Amino acid sequence: MNDICRFFHIRYPIIQGGMGNISNAQLTSAVSEAGGLGTIGVGTMTPDEVENILVETRQRTNRPFSVNIPIQVTPYIEEMLSLVFKHKIPVVSLSAGNPAPIIPMLKERGVKVIVVTASVRQAQKAEAAGADVLVAEGYEAAGINSHLELTTMTLIPQIARAVRVPVIAAGGIGDGKGLLAALALGAKGVQLGTRLIATKDAPFHEDYKQLVIKAGENETVIVGRTVGRVRRIMRTAYAEKLLDYEKSGVTLEEFNRYTSEDYHRRGALSGDFVEGFVNAGQISGFIQDIPTVQELFDQMMSEAKQQWNELREMFLEQ
């Protein structure tokens, strides 16, 4: 058991990424029940919507789970914090904004704080503000990304060297070898997003899951560069429409409207890829099956151990 497992009271050093408005109790509880740290992303949902998910998640599992609050995305910061305190959520992850004013309020109530970062400078500032754990996310990851577009392979060792708190790697990780690689680079655990989409426990449209497992290595695309809102999504008819909008000079306001959570839900929950989009990371090209979350985590840990033993034998032979 490593530092992350002890700190969060989980079995495996694996946490779930925030999934915005498609977050749900079923997948969150499955992650926690399987030994990881499940996460509910509040996105732009109302406090009532989030509270319903919190209550259902509590009914499904008595193991720890977290809430992700995207600071510049949700219009309900105070209400979400109140829900965290009311339901005694043990862990909160903060993303998409300056966490410094929020961290002390959480720490005062005994809440453990994760901050999602995309550069060494962001990581150092988050650590100075009191973050307990940092997620270092490369732009291979699905969904909203940093305009800096730094890759996981280069980002993790730089951040791990620059801070004292534990670092969790995110972006482009979907199996045990990826887990072991992240640990070798200095991370203490990994965050999964896209890989959890293609699981039996994820209540998303079957066409979304099939899109992920049938994807090649180059079937995700970055949209939003022209307006400073980098987002990685699956290349679909709607994605091509977004790219055309950018070529025509879409404004930031228009782009935000076209990529609102309403369109996200259409894609992920209804399987409508003409009038809705789906987030997907570059690891999509590697995913080929749809296990349960428990099967996935057990397989990842087994594979990481096997790969470690093979590497150890190789070095012992030198």
Side-chain angles (χ1 to χ4, degrees):
M1 181 179 289
N2 72 5
D3 296 343
I4 288 294
C5 294
R6 283 191 292 270
F7 188 66
F8 290 135
H9 302 290
I10 55 180
R11 183 182 178 193
Y12 296 145
I14 304 172
I15 72 173
Q16 176 187 0
M19 293 182 172
N21 289 42
I22 65 169
S23 286
N24 58 84
Q26 183 175 324
L27 181 56
T28 300
S29 60
V31 170
S32 292
E33 284 291 299
L37 183 70
T39 300
I40 296 165
V42 307
T44 59
M45 288 189 285
T46 66
D48 286 344
E49 289 176 302
V50 172
E51 185 162 31
N52 288 337
I53 298 174
L54 292 176
V55 170
E56 184 182 348
T57 304
R58 284 285 192 207
Q59 293 170 346
R60 288 173 172 266
T61 184
N62 60 6
R63 296 184 179 181
F65 63 91
S66 69
V67 169
N68 169 252
I69 301 176
I71 298 166
Q72 293 181 348
V73 175
T74 177
Y76 306 108
I77 292 286
E78 292 183 6
E79 292 87 344
M80 295 307 166
L81 291 175
S82 294
L83 287 177
V84 166
F85 302 144
K86 175 182 176 181
H87 292 278
K88 296 181 171 57
I89 305 302
V91 184
V92 165
S93 69
L94 300 172
S95 59
N98 179 15
I102 301 173
I103 292 175
M105 292 185 280
L106 293 168
K107 299 294 286 290
E108 286 171 5
R109 303 292 288 267
V111 179
K112 296 169 182 175
V113 180
I114 302 170
V115 175
V116 181
T117 64
S119 71
V120 170
R121 176 173 168 77
Q122 288 178 10
Q124 290 174 323
K125 290 178 69 175
E127 180 184 39
D132 297 300
V133 175
L134 302 173
V135 169
E137 185 173 70
Y139 97 117
E140 300 97 320
I144 298 173
N145 269 303
S146 167
H147 70 279
L148 299 174
E149 299 191 13
L150 299 173
T151 65
T152 303
M153 188 80 174
T154 58
L155 186 63
I156 299 307
Q158 293 184 72
I159 289 182
R161 182 178 62 186
V163 300
R164 295 185 178 87
V165 298
V167 176
I168 292 174
I173 301 164
D175 68 347
K177 292 180 180 180
L179 168 60
L180 184 61
L183 298 179
L185 290 171
K188 298 297 184 182
V190 297
Q191 176 175 286
L192 303 183
T194 303
R195 187 62 188 94
L196 293 172
I197 298 297
T199 60
K200 291 183 173 68
D201 300 289
F204 307 131
H205 200 280
E206 185 62 25
D207 288 350
Y208 184 9
K209 298 181 184 184
Q210 291 299 318
L211 202 63
V212 170
I213 66 172
K214 292 178 181 178
E217 75 275 14
N218 195 35
E219 292 187 39
T220 67
V221 63
I222 293 290
V223 297
R225 281 196 180 106
T226 60
V227 292
R229 289 290 187 273
V230 174
R231 179 190 284 267
R232 186 177 296 281
I233 63 178
M234 192 65 79
R235 189 181 291 276
T236 60
Y238 193 78
E240 296 296 343
K241 189 184 300 185
L242 289 174
L243 291 171
D244 287 340
Y245 288 153
E246 288 194 73
K247 291 176 183 176
S248 301
V250 67
T251 66
L252 175 58
E253 182 181 5
E254 289 170 333
F255 181 82
N256 287 339
R257 186 166 68 250
Y258 296 144
T259 55
S260 73
E261 287 298 319
D262 288 337
Y263 291 101
H264 185 196
R265 280 174 158 166
R266 288 184 197 178
L269 303 182
S270 301
D272 184 350
F273 305 139
V274 175
E275 294 300 330
F277 67 90
V278 286
N279 292 327
Q282 288 184 316
I283 196 65
S284 298
F286 180 77
I287 299 169
Q288 296 182 325
D289 60 352
I290 304 178
T292 66
V293 173
Q294 187 70 69
E295 290 168 344
L296 173 63
F297 286 5
D298 290 345
Q299 181 181 354
M300 285 180 66
M301 296 305 296
S302 176
E303 185 178 39
K305 291 175 184 177
Q306 180 181 345
Q307 186 66 30
W308 162 249
N309 287 331
E310 291 178 7
L311 291 171
R312 183 172 178 273
E313 288 297 320
M314 182 182 73
F315 282 106
L316 287 175
E317 292 172 359
Q318 300 300 315

